[in-house]
Amino acid sequence: MAEGGEEAAQPRPKQMSLMGMVVRGLIFYYVFAAMTKSAKKGSETPAQAQLDAEGNQVATRSQGQPLFFPIFQKGDLVDLWVYLSEEPDFEDYNDESALVWSEEALELGEYSEPEHTKDIVYTPSTAMQNNGTLYAHVFFARTGHSPNPEDPDFSSKSSWRVRHSLVEYRARPKVKTTKNLFGIKREGEGEDQAAVVALEPVTTEGEVISFWKPNMTITLVDDYTSYPPRQVPPQVRPAMVFEPKSMEYYPIVFMNDFWLLRDKWVMLNDTVTSLNLTMTFGPIS
């Protein structure tokens, strides 16, 4: 019985040997795969982090990873022009009546200076009084350059623009007729005179009318990051403007309406003959 037991146990070393070969094979496979992956990563040239004079991180160009590079850097100087026009596309740079504001040598990312402001009074046209639109065409250019493509000092990598509507469209507010809560009727007054009459006539439900926005805040985002295309923050990407040839991006302009409360809007109609507009410029982080 003892010998029989020993004979039955003889094949077991072969089973263990086979199992060991399988385990060793799996270990070798995973080690080889990890080494291959590491070698593949090493073959790609990553963006090397460098620091500029301000201590900000700047990425260098690389073969392995495309990047969206900023054309401008913090501290660069730019000029600003604001034109007002009812046309969505503006090209008449020599129209001095359309130019309502300009500033020179604005330093990108400079917070120590006070905000730049400009107040104007604008006379609306008949078209604006009847649901027309007015656009602010905001141009920037590196100081010493022109936003006009026909000017010798123009450079596509030194000038960019954004458009902003100064008119908002909303449904006409509902106006309710209310009565005198005290019910006091003076001598000689009729019943209808004791009521407060609505200021606006009854209109078709859902009618859309135009409103003037009396404030316009132009901000340049203090961000000069070199972004991998898939890592651009979703709230930033819609505001990015790219130079067509190089796909480098200009300083990001954000038209900030956050503090423009709706109760400050002005309803436009043929009785409105002048409109106040306060324009403000500054950086935002």
Side-chain angles (χ1 to χ4, degrees):
M1 293 289 292
E3 291 181 359
E6 290 178 359
E7 291 177 358
Q10 285 179 359
R12 294 180 62 183
K14 293 183 179 180
Q15 293 178 0
M16 294 297 293
S17 176
L18 180 60
M19 183 64 68
M21 290 177 63
V22 173
V23 172
R24 284 196 298 269
L26 291 173
I27 294 174
F28 177 81
Y29 171 79
Y30 285 112
V31 171
F32 179 80
M35 293 176 62
T36 303
K37 186 176 181 181
S38 177
K40 185 177 180 181
K41 285 187 176 181
S43 64
E44 298 179 354
T45 304
Q48 299 176 355
Q50 294 183 352
L51 299 180
D52 59 15
E54 296 278 336
N56 299 315
Q57 181 173 319
V58 179
T60 60
R61 295 184 183 276
S62 64
Q63 296 292 335
Q65 185 180 28
L67 295 174
F68 291 152
F69 285 86
I71 299 176
F72 290 71
Q73 293 295 330
K74 188 171 184 175
D76 289 349
L77 301 180
V78 298
D79 298 338
L80 163 71
W81 298 265
V82 178
Y83 295 86
L84 299 186
S85 171
E86 295 180 18
E87 299 298 327
D89 298 316
F90 183 83
E91 302 295 340
D92 193 0
Y93 302 92
N94 296 321
D95 185 0
E96 295 185 357
S97 64
L99 179 62
V100 295
W101 190 25
S102 64
E103 293 282 349
E104 296 182 351
L106 300 170
E107 184 176 350
L108 297 180
E110 176 55 51
Y111 287 88
S112 61
E113 296 182 1
E115 289 185 325
H116 300 265
T117 61
K118 176 76 171 181
D119 293 308
I120 67 168
V121 177
Y122 186 80
T123 302
S125 65
T126 303
M128 278 190 63
Q129 292 173 333
N130 293 273
N131 278 13
T133 300
L134 186 72
Y135 298 98
H137 297 275
V138 182
F139 293 84
F140 290 93
R142 193 182 297 274
T143 295
H145 289 261
S146 170
N148 187 352
E150 298 181 358
D151 196 300
D153 293 326
F154 173 81
S155 170
S156 63
K157 292 190 70 171
S158 297
S159 176
W160 75 105
R161 62 194 290 179
V162 295
R163 183 183 66 197
H164 181 68
S165 177
L166 293 171
V167 176
E168 195 77 20
Y169 294 90
R170 290 288 186 273
R172 182 187 293 273
K174 295 181 179 179
V175 181
K176 296 181 179 180
T177 302
T178 58
K179 291 187 176 181
N180 188 337
L181 297 179
F182 296 99
I184 300 175
K185 179 182 174 183
R186 295 189 179 91
E187 185 178 354
E189 282 187 336
E191 291 295 337
D192 57 335
Q193 290 176 304
V196 179
V197 181
L199 298 179
E200 292 290 335
V202 177
T203 58
T204 304
E205 184 177 357
E207 180 187 7
V208 176
I209 59 175
S210 56
F211 293 83
W212 172 257
K213 297 188 290 187
N215 294 297
M216 181 178 70
T217 301
I218 308 167
T219 58
L220 284 177
V221 180
D222 190 21
D223 181 20
Y224 309 96
T225 305
S226 297
Y227 286 108
R230 295 184 179 181
Q231 296 182 18
V232 179
Q235 67 272 24
V236 172
R237 185 61 182 266
M240 296 180 79
V241 178
F242 294 90
E243 200 280 323
K245 296 180 180 178
S246 66
M247 288 306 292
E248 296 171 311
Y249 71 91
Y250 299 97
I252 300 171
V253 182
F254 177 58
M255 307 301 291
N256 190 356
D257 284 340
F258 182 78
W259 298 109
L260 181 57
L261 303 179
R262 188 172 298 186
D263 61 358
K264 301 298 182 183
W265 294 2
V266 178
M267 186 185 300
L268 293 174
N269 52 45
D270 56 6
T271 65
V272 178
T273 57
S274 64
L275 296 164
N276 295 322
L277 177 62
T278 298
M279 296 174 285
T280 305
F281 170 81
I284 187 173
S285 59

